[in-house]
Amino acid sequence: MPPAAPSSSGKAMAAAAVVLAMLLSAAAAQHDYGDALHKCILFFEGQRSGRLPPDQRVRWRRDSGLHDGAAAGVDLTGGYYDAGDNVKFGFPMAFTATLMSWGLIDFGRSFGPHKEEARKAVRWATDYLMKATARPNTVYVQVGDAFRDHACWERPEDMDTPRTVYRVDPSHPGSDVAAETAAALAAASIVFRDSDPAYSKRLLDRAVAVFEFADKHRGPYSSSLHAAVCPCYCDYSGYQDELLWGAAWLHKASRRREYREYIKRNEVVLGASEAINEFGWDNKHAGINVLISKEVLMGKDEYFQSFRVNADNFICTLLPGISNHPQIQYSPGGLLFKVGSSNMQHVTQLSFLLLAYSNYLSHAGGRVSCGSSSASPAQLRRVAKRQVDYILGDNPLRMSYMVGYGARFPRRIHHRASSIPSVAAHPARIGCKAGAAYYASPAPNPNLLVGAVVGGPTDASDAFPDARAVFQQSEPTTYINAPLMGLLAYFSAHPNPAESGGD
């Protein structure tokens, strides 16, 4: 809850108690988490760029971006469009791959029949990232001119805006995007270790090389490529967190002592304890502390005890009734929100960390220490589950924020391909400005982007307009869905968080 004014402290305490009761209530309606997981993964097929495979299930999409990279003499076909536009941004794509992989690593057994399709979703990203890092000391980090692209409303199959290629290299460093790419490749190497060991080895070898480049040639890509990547995916938190994040994943994937030493040597220098209330494509600090804390909780490495302390402090900021952190608030309907746009990214990413940490605590028989109080793993799971249930329809509007799940869901999402008639329905090309009519139309989108989770309510009102123009609330992104995969997998196997333990 937000801090209360002195004259209304009693009301604030009462409100906090109500929210806490809602978050910890086990009486919410049971959802079909397995069906939601299937749809959550299916969304990524709607975001695919490149030549679509024969088993493509989102049939209203067609091949697109088939010449990406050609002007630069490199093959950059494939990968994902990050949101409702047609640009391929490497920074959020790599983060998306890292989070999808983390979900599979921690909760793989819970994916059940959906595990293979989840791995395919990861591989669509990592195949592209391998192409983007094929040249030594170079990472191709973006395809498409964001400003020209955003001036159009057209299908990816029709796009005629410049497919400009942007890269970082020793002369134009980008430690943030390069280290995040290394993290993605390292995490994915764990995912494919058993099912495809040769691919896993290639991923890890590349991750090692890309991280070495990121660390040796330090600097933010927002400086090297400012005109291209800002303000869309400008790295406001600096590159230091990505270097620690990349090293943490390389340590987890390789078990090499050099990464353990790197983390400890750079813990203070790279600010491991800074801004721990943040976690997302820009700021990895909270994720670093939770990820590394597993080593401590499993009794493998007391060397990292300070990360466990940081993780506890972070988790405490998310628990209503225990900590009234000014940057972490809850709506009257129980939704976690942070001031800004696309709030569901915070909901899914922070909920994933709650669940992951509860899993580590359960295995270790531990609790979260929050000053004079503490919280059990089950409490953390209940808070995370409450957020998932809110997304799926347990909210004041009684609507799901996942397209295609439940009886009521967003119909006018801010997404070019979804809002314009498909190639099958309208074979003739629809040009840059011709699509504006579909953008302005009050009609529902003709193509259901099943599984897409939109930005949702962005303040304490629990309100949602379901309008394309309000992109902060109606646009889906890959990094909203990525951590949701792990959450849905876990709750599909453990629907009662009070009784469940670790995966």
Side-chain angles (χ1 to χ4, degrees), residues 377-393:
Q379 283 178 279
L380 272 55
R381 288 192 291 270
R382 286 196 292 267
V383 174
K385 185 174 183 290
R386 177 68 186 95
Q387 298 308 300
V388 172
D389 289 346
Y390 187 107
I391 291 171
L392 297 182

Side-chain angles (χ1 to χ4, degrees), residues 116 119 123 188 190-200:
E116 183 54 33
R119 280 199 293 241
R123 187 158 186 159
I190 303 173
V191 170
F192 294 101
R193 185 174 289 163
D194 295 330
S195 62
D196 192 340
Y199 185 61
S200 172

